């Protein structure tokens, strides 16, 4: 069975002192987990968190990557720069970036391509809004989002991680039920299966208000291979409980 992955998305939270306290607490509690663990931190803290994680089971992750390789793109961070700091995972296409920064399916596909070319595993986020779910469009939306990434990266699609994150569940305390999440994960699994013979190795994460109380039931679903965790990843005891539930 493949190892599950628990990835924390700190979003735009943290500070030098808070990061140190959080990572020390995680280091003290994480031991040798049954799953892989990643911390996706704000770019300015990559160097600090890399040092804090050294020699532990905690892997470094980023939250975004530029579509450009290098050059006159003020404010952008390239995949090669992330690799310089030992980044193993990079979230691409988070709904907050689609919503507030106008990222399209095509943009997200290129970001995944940049990460892959740098040897970084993209965590590709897909998910429907509440209006889309209520209109019965969940399947169309997530398949369209994933299809763009498959189209551009088909040759190495088995190297990606996919995170299903219903937008209505992110940061709201409203979690998809395990059955709702499993239904969408099974659709995504079938889509990946049709695209690659090696699709079995692709981890499908669930994200959206996953916490210490609901993690076990979500992670017990046959097609849920881990979690992308926002709010609960900022509290060491909660994040450690979720890691412990991923076996
Ligand atoms: C996220 O930001 O990817 C996320 C799932 O957030 P939360 O766990 O806070 O809903």
């Amino acid at each position: 069975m493949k190892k599950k992955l628990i990835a924390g998305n700190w979003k735009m939270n943290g500070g030098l002192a808070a990061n140190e306290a959080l990572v020390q607490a995680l280091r003290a509690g994480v031991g040798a987990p049954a799953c892989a663990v990643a911390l996706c931190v704000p770019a300015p803290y990559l160097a600090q968190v890399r040092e804090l994680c050294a020699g532990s089971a905690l892997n470094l992750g980023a939250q975004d990557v530029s579509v450009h390789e290098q050059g006159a793109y003020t404010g952008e961070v390239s995949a090669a720069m992330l690799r310089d700091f030992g980044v193993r995972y990079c979230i691409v296409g988070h709904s907050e970036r689609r919503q507030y920064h106008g990222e399209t399916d095509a943009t997200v596909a290129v970001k995944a391509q940049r990460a892959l070319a740098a040897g970084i595993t993209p965590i590709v986020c897909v998910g429907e809004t509440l209006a889309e779910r209520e209109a019965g469009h969940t399947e169309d939306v997530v398949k369209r989002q994933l299809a763009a990434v498959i189209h551009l990266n088909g040759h190495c699609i088995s190297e990606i991680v996919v995170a299903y994150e219903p937008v209505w569940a992110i940061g709201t305390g409203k979690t998809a039920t395990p059955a709702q999440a499993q239904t969408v994960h099974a659709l995504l699994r079938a889509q990946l299966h049709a695209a690659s013979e090696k699709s079995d190795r692709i981890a499908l994460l669930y994200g959206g208000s996953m916490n210490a109380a609901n993690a076990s039931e979500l992670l017990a679903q046959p097609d849920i291979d881990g979690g992308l965790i926002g709010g609960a990843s900022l509290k060491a005891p909660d994040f450690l409980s979720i890691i412990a539930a991923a076996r």
Side-chain angles (χ1 to χ4, degrees), residues 9 11 94 96 165 169-171 207-210 228-231:
N9 175 12
K11 312 196 189 198
H94 191 282
E96 288 153 12
E165 298 209 306
I170 297 178
S209 299
M210 191 187 273
L228 181 55
I229 324 295

Side-chain angles (χ1 to χ4, degrees), residues 7-11 91 94-96 125 163-175 206-211 227-234 242:
N9 175 12
W10 289 7
K11 312 196 189 198
I91 298 169
H94 191 282
S95 62
E96 288 153 12
C125 299
Y164 168 55
E165 298 209 306
V167 178
W168 48 271
I170 297 178
T172 58
K174 284 187 202 146
T175 318
Y206 169 79
S209 299
M210 191 187 273
N211 57 40
L228 181 55
I229 324 295
S233 73
L234 298 170
I242 297 170

Side-chain angles (χ1 to χ4, degrees), residues 159-210:
E159 306 302 317
I160 73 169
V161 166
V162 176
Y164 168 55
E165 298 209 306
V167 178
W168 48 271
I170 297 178
T172 58
K174 284 187 202 146
T175 318
T177 64
Q180 281 174 324
Q182 168 56 31
T183 300
V184 177
H185 279 233
L187 291 170
L188 297 172
R189 178 81 71 207
Q191 188 178 4
L192 290 164
H193 189 65
S196 167
E197 285 171 2
K198 295 188 236 158
S199 66
D200 281 355
R201 68 162 82 148
I202 301 174
L204 289 181
L205 315 185
Y206 169 79
S209 299
M210 191 187 273

Side-chain angles (χ1 to χ4, degrees), residues 15-191:
L16 291 172
N19 300 345
E20 182 160 356
L22 176 56
V23 180
Q24 296 296 11
L26 293 173
R27 276 192 78 119
V30 76
C35 62
V37 181
L39 305 179
C40 299
V41 309
Y45 298 127
L46 287 170
Q48 182 206 15
V49 177
R50 180 191 200 181
E51 278 206 13
L52 289 169
C53 292
S56 78
L58 305 170
N59 293 290
L60 192 59
Q63 298 174 11
D64 187 30
V65 63
S66 178
V67 293
H68 304 292
E69 270 185 88
Q70 64 164 53
Y73 301 104
T74 303
E76 293 282 275
V77 176
S78 74
M81 292 171 185
L82 297 179
R83 187 185 48 207
D84 272 351
F85 283 92
V87 165
R88 294 272 313 273
Y89 298 92
C90 181
I91 298 169
V92 298
H94 191 282
S95 62
E96 288 153 12
R97 296 218 51 93
R98 293 180 191 258
Q99 190 180 347
Y100 306 134
H101 301 272
E103 291 194 6
T104 63
D105 296 342
T107 315
V108 175
V110 175
K111 290 186 173 202
Q113 185 183 42
R114 293 286 180 229
L116 287 165
I120 294 168
T121 302
I123 301 177
V124 176
C125 299
V126 300
E128 81 288 2
T129 62
L130 186 57
E132 287 164 339
R133 172 164 282 265
E134 287 176 348
H137 296 326
T138 299
E139 178 170 351
D140 291 348
V141 170
V142 298
K143 281 187 167 173
R144 188 203 72 222
Q145 291 172 333
L146 184 56
V149 176
I150 293 172
H151 180 70
L152 196 64
N153 300 283
H155 53 291
C156 50
I157 203 68
S158 62
E159 306 302 317
I160 73 169
V161 166
V162 176
Y164 168 55
E165 298 209 306
V167 178
W168 48 271
I170 297 178
T172 58
K174 284 187 202 146
T175 318
T177 64
Q180 281 174 324
Q182 168 56 31
T183 300
V184 177
H185 279 233
L187 291 170
L188 297 172
R189 178 81 71 207
Q191 188 178 4

